[in-house]
Amino acid sequence: MLSQPETVLDLATITTADIEYRIAATRNERAGAFRLVYESYLRSGLGEPNPYRMRVTPYHLLPTTEVFIATCRGTPIFTLSLVVDGALGLPMECIYADEVARRRERGLRFGEVSCLADRRSQFRGFFPVFLGLSRLMAQHAWRRGLDELLVAVHPRHARFYRRFMAFEPFGGLRAYPTVRNRPAIALCLNFDRVDRERPKSFDTFFGQWLPDEQVESHPISPEDAEYFRPMVDPAFAAVPLEEMDFCPRGGRGTREMASVP
C-alpha cells in the first residue's frame, strides 16, 4: 500500500515561501496528486466516489503525460496534469475531435492541461500557487517542443484564461461527459503567438527560466502504469485501454530557446 502523509498541515498559516513546485517522479507523488484531484472533483460534483479514493485517467498511464504538484512539507496542495498528444490522443477529443484533428493535420504539437485541483478553501494565497505551478508546466511544455497548450474550461473561467493568460477559443460550448456533463469551452495558447505579441502574462511565465532539472520530464514507469491501471475512473470507459502502448505519437523535439529572454 502507498504511504499516507503523516503530517496534518495547518494550511491557514502557510505562505508561498513554504511551497515547492515539481513534476511528480514517484508512485507516492502521483498517488498524492490523484487523491487531491479525487477529493476536489468529488467536492465540486465533477466526479463519483470510488474505493481507491483517487481520480486516475487512462492518460495518466502514458509516458507522454506529466503530473505537476505544489507541495508543502511533502503534502500536495495543488496539482495539474499535462497530457501531451500521444497514444490515446487527448481527453478533450471526446467532444472536440474535429477541432483537435485539424490542429494535428497542421503539424502542431500540443498537450491538454487537465485534472487541476487544489486546497484553496484551506489556505490563503491560492493565486500565487496557481501561477507558480502553471509557470513550471508552461516552461516544461515550451522546452519539450510543444507548439500549443489546450484546455477545456467551464465558461465562467474562460474570461480569466483569455484575459490574463492569453488563451484563445477554438471550440464552442459543449457538455463534457467525464466531468458529469458540465459545460466546457475549448481554449488554446500558441507559444509562437505569445512569443511575438508578448502579452502582459508573458513575463510571469517566461521572464525567468527555471533550472533544467526542475522542468525535466519524469515519465511514468511501466510498473507504475500497471499499478494504477485498475484505478482508472469508470467515466473513461470509452477510452481503449487495451490499445495502449508506451510509445509517444511523433517525435520529442526541443524548442529553440534563443527567442526568449
Side-chain angles (χ1 to χ4, degrees):
M1 294 292 292
L2 292 167
S3 61
Q4 296 280 355
E6 296 181 358
T7 303
V8 178
L9 294 176
D10 181 3
L11 294 175
T13 65
I14 67 174
T15 68
T16 54
D18 300 311
I19 311 302
E20 296 182 0
Y21 303 94
R22 61 179 178 273
I23 300 175
T26 68
R27 184 179 294 183
N28 274 329
E29 287 177 342
R30 287 187 171 87
F34 299 156
R35 290 191 194 99
L36 181 55
V37 177
Y38 173 83
E39 294 165 2
S40 178
Y41 276 41
L42 198 62
R43 185 171 58 249
S44 302
L46 300 177
E48 300 283 353
N50 69 59
Y52 302 105
R53 301 189 62 80
M54 296 187 198
R55 168 87 170 185
V56 182
T57 78
Y59 306 91
H60 285 127
L61 309 185
L62 294 172
T64 42
T65 294
E66 302 286 353
V67 177
F68 298 80
I69 51 174
T71 64
C72 181
R73 301 165 206 159
T75 297
I77 63 172
F78 206 121
T79 184
L80 58 83
S81 296
L82 177 63
V83 181
V84 175
D85 191 28
L88 298 178
L90 299 181
M92 65 165 51
E93 287 188 83
C94 65
I95 53 175
Y96 294 110
D98 292 342
E99 290 86 348
V100 171
R102 284 194 289 271
R103 308 188 96 73
R104 199 175 284 130
E105 290 166 0
R106 289 163 53 192
L108 295 173
R109 294 200 69 226
F110 43 76
E112 180 179 348
V113 183
S114 69
C115 292
L116 189 150
D118 59 76
R119 302 184 192 275
R120 73 181 72 184
S121 63
Q122 298 173 269
F123 74 102
R124 297 186 297 272
F126 152 78
F127 189 62
V129 179
F130 168 75
L131 291 183
L133 199 60
S134 296
R135 178 187 180 211
L136 173 59
M137 181 272 298
Q139 291 199 20
H140 167 84
W142 186 298
R143 297 192 201 191
R144 191 166 170 174
L146 299 192
D147 301 301
E148 291 186 333
L149 294 176
L150 311 183
V151 63
V153 302
H154 193 283
R156 68 170 174 261
H157 300 146
R159 184 180 180 187
F160 167 79
Y161 279 83
R162 296 184 64 180
R163 294 190 63 182
F164 183 78
M165 301 180 73
F167 277 76
E168 293 185 328
F170 75 95
L173 185 66
R174 311 274 169 83
Y176 210 140
T178 56
V179 287
R180 302 184 69 183
N181 290 311
R182 296 298 175 87
I185 292 176
L187 306 175
C188 74
L189 178 70
N190 182 279
F191 286 139
D192 285 341
R193 177 179 61 81
V194 296
D195 193 16
R196 292 192 311 270
E197 299 177 1
R198 298 297 173 98
K200 292 181 179 179
S201 62
F202 188 89
D203 283 345
T204 300
F205 299 105
F206 302 108
Q208 183 175 359
W209 286 102
L210 297 169
D212 290 344
E213 59 270 19
Q214 190 174 1
V215 299
E216 181 181 357
S217 289
H218 292 288
I220 191 170
S221 68
E223 293 78 14
D224 284 354
E226 288 304 316
Y227 177 85
F228 286 113
R229 185 184 294 259
M231 306 176 193
V232 169
D233 194 299
F236 293 87
V239 178
L241 286 176
E242 67 278 2
E243 296 179 11
M244 287 177 55
D245 58 37
F246 290 93
C247 297
R249 174 183 291 156
R252 293 172 60 93
T254 300
R255 175 176 296 274
E256 175 59 52
M257 292 169 53
S259 63
V260 181

